[in-house]
Amino acid sequence: MLKINDINVFYGAIHAIKGASLEVNEGEIVTLIGANGAGKSTILRTISGLLKPKGGSIEFEGRDIAGLPAHEIVKCGISQVPEGRRIFAEMTVLENLELGAFTRKDKDGIKEDMEMVFNRFPRLKERISQLAGTLSGGEQQMLAMGRALMSRPRLLLLDEPSMGLAPLLIKEIFAIIQDINKAGTTVLLVEQNANMALSIAHRAYVLETGRITLSGDAKELAASEDVRKAYLGG
Ligand code: ATP
């Protein structure tokens, strides 16, 4: 479904991604794990069109999307939940969700998806008119995920959904990610919480200072001595 081949990404003179390749197959949850500053968010931002790669290619469903503007990439069927949620604090829950559907014109479909989001996140329905900035951290994560789902993506990019959340809420959010995947959405999940990410992913990649150093079946990586030492606290 998504094929990234040998991309390089720079911030000015800083060479953040050094020839990375990875693949996500339809139906999978794939996780990209790695330490602070390894370049995980940079890869997601490059897929979603916020950064342009130098060289290499990014193919989505057979089409080269590298360098397309971000709104075109949303139209292709890819939606990102950014790190730190980035919800619109001064707007209501409903307005945030409506904005997630900005590329669509099918009113009936949008209504259907709004219902789907409220079924998945009943707490958002209870708070439909509340200003998003007054939601709790977990509710804001739910809103950011709901907003991304409103574009009806086939590939959902999640950047550190566990950030700043209590363990119980992390469990809840990860269970929802699994449900979304089971309902047919493919997921690329970036996480520092490697334990949780590997527990729900089918496959995983390890990123170290801009390079993919390991990849494979998530259960096998979780059991590997190197990964345990470096990312799973022994
Ligand atoms: P974290 O888990 O801490 O979010 P990450 O793996 O997502 O880390 P990135 O945010 O992708 O890492 O950053 C990769 C590298 O690029 C880091 O060295 C970072 O300092 C650098 N970097 C990120 N954004 C910029 C920017 N806007 N300008 C310059 N350098 C940047």
Side-chain angles (χ1 to χ4, degrees):
M1 184 182 222
L2 179 77
K3 270 191 193 158
I4 299 183
N5 184 34
D6 197 22
I7 56 165
N8 286 278
V9 185
F10 293 82
Y11 293 104
I14 296 169
H15 194 177
I17 301 298
K18 301 163 183 156
S21 301
L22 67 89
E23 272 188 50
V24 181
N25 300 309
E26 189 164 3
E28 283 187 315
I29 299 178
V30 172
T31 186
L32 184 58
I33 58 175
N36 271 126
K40 305 179 299 295
S41 301
T42 301
I43 289 192
L44 286 198
R45 282 191 233 123
T46 307
I47 298 168
S48 60
L50 301 173
L51 295 169
K52 284 191 183 21
K54 239 188 186 157
S57 62
I58 304 178
E59 255 183 45
F60 180 65
E61 296 177 333
R63 175 177 178 198
D64 190 359
I65 59 164
L68 285 183
H71 66 273
E72 285 297 329
I73 290 181
V74 174
K75 276 193 198 163
C76 289
I78 300 178
S79 185
Q80 183 177 358
V81 182
E83 188 174 357
R85 350 281 191 219
R86 304 278 180 95
I87 45 119
F88 299 101
E90 301 298 323
M91 297 173 89
T92 65
V93 166
L94 181 65
E95 287 164 342
N96 270 273
L97 291 175
E98 284 169 348
L99 273 175
F102 79 103
T103 56
R104 299 173 59 182
K105 295 202 173 61
D106 56 321
K107 282 210 174 107
D108 291 347
I110 293 172
K111 220 174 142 199
E112 244 174 55
D113 287 350
M114 190 76 81
E115 279 310 305
M116 174 272 290
V117 167
F118 286 142
N119 283 335
R120 202 164 297 292
F121 302 103
R123 268 194 264 178
L124 294 183
K125 189 164 190 179
E126 291 162 17
R127 290 168 173 77
I128 193 163
S129 324
Q130 192 172 325
L131 288 183
T134 65
L135 296 172
S136 72
E139 289 159 1
Q140 290 192 12
Q141 182 60 44
M142 292 175 193
L143 180 57
M145 287 167 66
R147 182 181 58 187
L149 289 173
M150 287 303 296
S151 68
R152 207 178 266 195
R154 291 189 295 289
L155 175 63
L156 185 64
L157 310 175
L158 293 165
D159 198 347
E160 303 226 9
S162 76
M163 194 164 72
L165 302 185
L168 258 181
L169 254 175
I170 296 178
K171 271 198 168 162
E172 190 179 336
I173 294 285
F174 274 62
I176 294 169
I177 296 170
Q178 275 189 307
D179 287 346
I180 291 170
N181 173 251
K182 284 190 183 127
T185 309
T186 306
V187 175
L188 177 57
L189 167 67
V190 155
E191 261 298 340
Q192 276 202 53
N193 189 333
N195 260 320
M196 281 304 289
L198 290 172
S199 76
I200 66 162
H202 302 104
R203 286 189 310 111
Y205 291 86
V206 177
L207 192 65
E208 279 176 36
T209 55
R211 290 195 172 86
I212 306 265
T213 51
L214 275 173
S215 67
D217 180 89
K219 301 271 167 315
E220 281 169 23
L221 278 188
S224 106
E225 191 70 13
D226 289 349
V227 173
R228 296 205 70 76
K229 270 195 200 136
Y231 300 104
L232 304 176

